[in-house]
Structures are given as structure tokens and as C-alpha cells.
Amino acid sequence: MKLSIEISKYPLTSDYIEPIKGFIELLNSNPNVLVITNTLSTQVFGDYDEVMALLQQGIRWSFERYGKVVFVVKFLHGDLRPC
């Protein structure tokens, strides 16, 4: 099953760039998922299990490394990547 997600990360700190960049780098570490980043959010496309495992790893890493962080995520069934 394929999954598309859109995720935004809001670190609760004045130094917010590094935590966001680190999270995006972690998402890009899996060659089996497509990651598209823009100024408002990051979109991730791929197999459901791989995307969810990567997301779980990234959120845990963010909480352990940076403490208080807000994530807003939209989950959409299917592969909705742009053509």
C-alpha cells in the first residue's frame, strides 16, 4: 500500500532552522521514499510501512534531541506525488 504525507515541524525554540534541517536530512536518508520540501512543509511518498517507520524514527529523534517540538501531519492513502 502506498502513502503520501505532508508534514510541518515547529521546534519550540528560537534556533529553529537546525532542528528542521536535521529532520529533513533524516527523511532523505531512505532512498526508497521520495521527499519534496518547500517553504511551508515537506511531502513524503512511498510504501506505507517504510514511510511510517521513517516518520516514527524522525519524530523520536526530534523529541530526544530537541525536546519540545510540534508536528502537523496529513496522511493520504495512495501515491499522490506530483507528475
Side-chain angles (χ1 to χ4, degrees), residues 2-6 44-45 48 74-80:
K2 296 297 183 182
L3 180 66
S4 301
I5 69 164
E6 181 178 60
V44 183
F45 307 92
Y48 177 89
K74 297 175 189 173
F75 297 90
L76 299 121
H77 178 261
D79 187 346
L80 301 175

Side-chain angles (χ1 to χ4, degrees), residues 5-11 16 19-20 23-24 27 36-44 55 59 62-63 69-75:
I5 69 164
E6 181 178 60
I7 185 166
S8 299
K9 177 179 178 177
Y10 302 98
Y16 57 89
I20 293 171
F23 181 72
I24 293 169
L27 293 177
I36 300 174
T37 304
N38 61 50
T39 55
L40 297 176
S41 65
T42 298
Q43 299 171 344
V44 183
L55 189 61
I59 291 173
S62 294
F63 288 157
V69 179
V70 174
F71 288 95
V72 177
V73 188
K74 297 175 189 173
F75 297 90

Side-chain angles (χ1 to χ4, degrees), residues 57-69:
Q57 177 187 3
I59 291 173
R60 182 183 191 106
W61 174 84
S62 294
F63 288 157
E64 290 176 344
R65 181 153 183 176
Y66 297 106
K68 295 184 179 179
V69 179

